[in-house]
Amino acid sequence: MATRLLKSREALLVLAMVILATLIEMRFSGFLSAKSTVAIFNDTAILIILALGQAAVILARGIDLSIAANLALSGTVAALVNASFPGVPVEFLLVLSVLAGALLGAINGLLVWKLDIPPIVVTLGTMTVYRGMIFLLTDGAWINAHEMSDAFKAVPRAVIFGLPLLSWIALCVIAVMILVFSFTRIGRAFYAVGGNPNAAVYTGISVGRTHFFAYVVAGTLAGLAGYLWVARYAVAYVDIANGFELDVVAACVIGGISIAGGVGTAIGAVLGALFLGIIKNALPVIDISPFWQMAISGTVIIIAVAVNARAARPKGRVILKKAEHAI
C-alpha cells in the first residue's frame, strides 16, 4: 500500500505541498491558517478551471496555447456589454462569456479537425488573433472598474458559507470534470485518442471529432474563467492574463498529465494548479521577486516532463539485453 502511494503522482504532489507549506509555516507563522488556506485556494481557482480545460486537450494529444487569450477575449466581451448596457442581467453576461469561450474553442477544434493543422500551430495563431480582436473591440483602451456595474463585479467576491463564490464555482467545475473524465463516453474518448489514435479509430471513435470536443471543453471553461477574471480584478484590456497559458500547461504537467496524451487525471491537474498556487503565494512571503515566477514555472515544467518521460519509458530494452545474454 505504501509503495503504491509513493508511485502515485497525486500522492507525491500532496506530500510535496504539505512539506512546502509546513516549512513556510515554520518560518512565517500563519501561512497555514484557515484564512490563508482559503485565500490560496481562491487565488488559484481560475488557474484550476483553466487547467481542467487544458487537461482535456492534452489528454487527447493536443495543446491549447490560446486558452489565456480566449479568457481575455471572452471576459472583455462581457465587460463591453456590461459597460454599454449596465442594466443587462449578470446571468446573461456570464452565459455570454461562456458561449464566447466555447465558440473560440470550437474554432480551434475545427481548424485542428477539418484542416489537420498541428494543434500547436493552430493555437499559437489563434492566440495572436484573439488578442488582436480585443484591441479592435476596445480600440486599445482599458475598461476600468468605474465602467462596470457593481453587480458585475460582485459575483466572484460574494461569500457563501465562509467561502467566496469564485471558490465554489471552481469546486463545481472540479466535480463536473472528474465525472466527465471518469464516467462519460467523451471522457473515455479523450484517453483513447491520446493513448493510441490509430487503435481508437478501430473502436469507432472519431479522432477529429474528439479533438473538436476537447477544444470546446477548454474554450467553455476559458470563457467562464474570462468573466470571473475580469469581474474579480475589475479591469479588461488587451494583455490581461498574458503568459498565463504557461502556468496552465505547467499545472497539467506537474499534475501528471502526459504531454504525449492519454495519461492523467482531473485531480492531478487540480493538485498541479494548487502546487503552483502555493509557490506563488509563498514567493512574496519568503521575499522572492514575483518576476522569478515565470522562470520557476518553466523550470518546473521541464522537470515534470522529464519525470513523466522517464516514468513512461518502456522496459523492453532491458528485457532484450537479458535475452541476449541468455543466448
Side-chain angles (χ1 to χ4, degrees):
M1 182 66 178
T3 304
R4 186 181 301 175
L5 284 175
L6 288 176
K7 289 183 178 180
S8 166
R9 173 60 64 87
E10 289 84 356
L12 289 174
L13 263 180
V14 171
L15 180 61
M17 287 189 290
V18 169
I19 293 173
L20 177 62
T22 302
L23 290 174
I24 298 171
E25 173 68 20
M26 290 170 62
R27 182 68 178 83
F28 301 95
S29 179
F31 186 78
L32 286 180
S33 66
K35 183 178 179 180
S36 177
T37 303
V38 169
I40 291 173
F41 183 83
N42 197 58
D43 288 342
T44 314
I46 292 177
L47 177 58
I48 289 172
I49 293 171
L50 291 177
L52 288 167
Q54 185 74 263
V57 176
I58 295 178
L59 281 175
R61 200 174 285 195
I63 191 75
D64 189 356
L65 298 179
S66 70
I67 197 165
N70 186 330
L71 174 157
L73 180 53
S74 302
T76 299
V77 167
L80 278 171
V81 174
N82 178 249
S84 302
F85 307 98
V88 173
V90 173
E91 294 81 4
F92 173 82
L93 297 174
L94 177 58
V95 171
L96 176 64
S97 184
V98 171
L99 291 178
L103 176 61
L104 298 177
I107 291 172
N108 287 337
L110 285 172
L111 291 173
V112 171
W113 177 15
K114 296 299 184 181
L115 299 184
D116 199 27
I117 305 174
I120 192 170
V121 177
V122 168
T123 57
L124 189 61
T126 55
M127 175 180 69
T128 306
V129 171
Y130 297 163
R131 293 283 180 189
M133 290 176 66
I134 299 173
F135 186 87
L136 292 175
L137 288 172
T138 62
D139 200 24
W142 289 32
I143 304 172
N144 295 308
H146 68 273
E147 300 175 76
M148 303 176 187
S149 67
D150 291 337
F152 180 87
K153 295 179 288 187
V155 171
R157 296 182 177 86
V159 177
I160 301 175
F161 300 119
L163 200 62
L165 184 56
L166 174 57
S167 295
W168 284 113
I169 293 173
L171 288 171
C172 290
V173 172
I174 292 170
V176 169
M177 294 306 293
I178 289 174
L179 291 175
V180 169
F181 286 167
S182 303
F183 302 106
T184 67
R185 183 175 180 180
I186 189 62
R188 291 191 291 271
F190 292 157
Y191 284 100
V193 169
N196 191 329
N198 295 322
V201 171
Y202 287 106
T203 64
I205 297 173
S206 169
V207 174
R209 190 174 290 111
T210 301
H211 283 152
F212 173 77
F213 283 122
Y215 281 103
V216 171
V217 169
T220 300
L221 293 181
L224 173 61
Y227 168 80
L228 295 172
W229 182 295
V230 171
R232 186 185 187 203
Y233 297 110
V235 65
Y237 59 100
V238 174
D239 288 329
I240 60 171
N242 192 22
F244 201 58
E245 58 276 351
L246 176 62
D247 288 342
V248 176
V249 173
C252 291
V253 175
I254 292 168
I257 309 291
S258 173
I259 206 71
V263 177
T265 64
I267 291 296
V270 173
L271 291 174
L274 287 173
F275 182 80
L276 286 180
I278 291 174
I279 290 177
K280 291 192 174 187
N281 278 270
L283 289 180
V285 173
I286 58 180
D287 200 25
I288 295 179
S289 170
F291 294 105
W292 281 96
Q293 290 181 9
M294 293 290 285
I296 292 172
S297 296
T299 303
V300 170
I301 288 178
I302 294 173
I303 294 173
V305 169
V307 171
N308 288 346
R310 187 173 180 82
R313 185 177 299 167
K315 305 299 182 183
R317 187 178 301 173
V318 177
I319 295 173
L320 289 173
K321 284 184 179 179
K322 289 182 178 179
E324 184 179 338
H325 288 304
I327 291 173

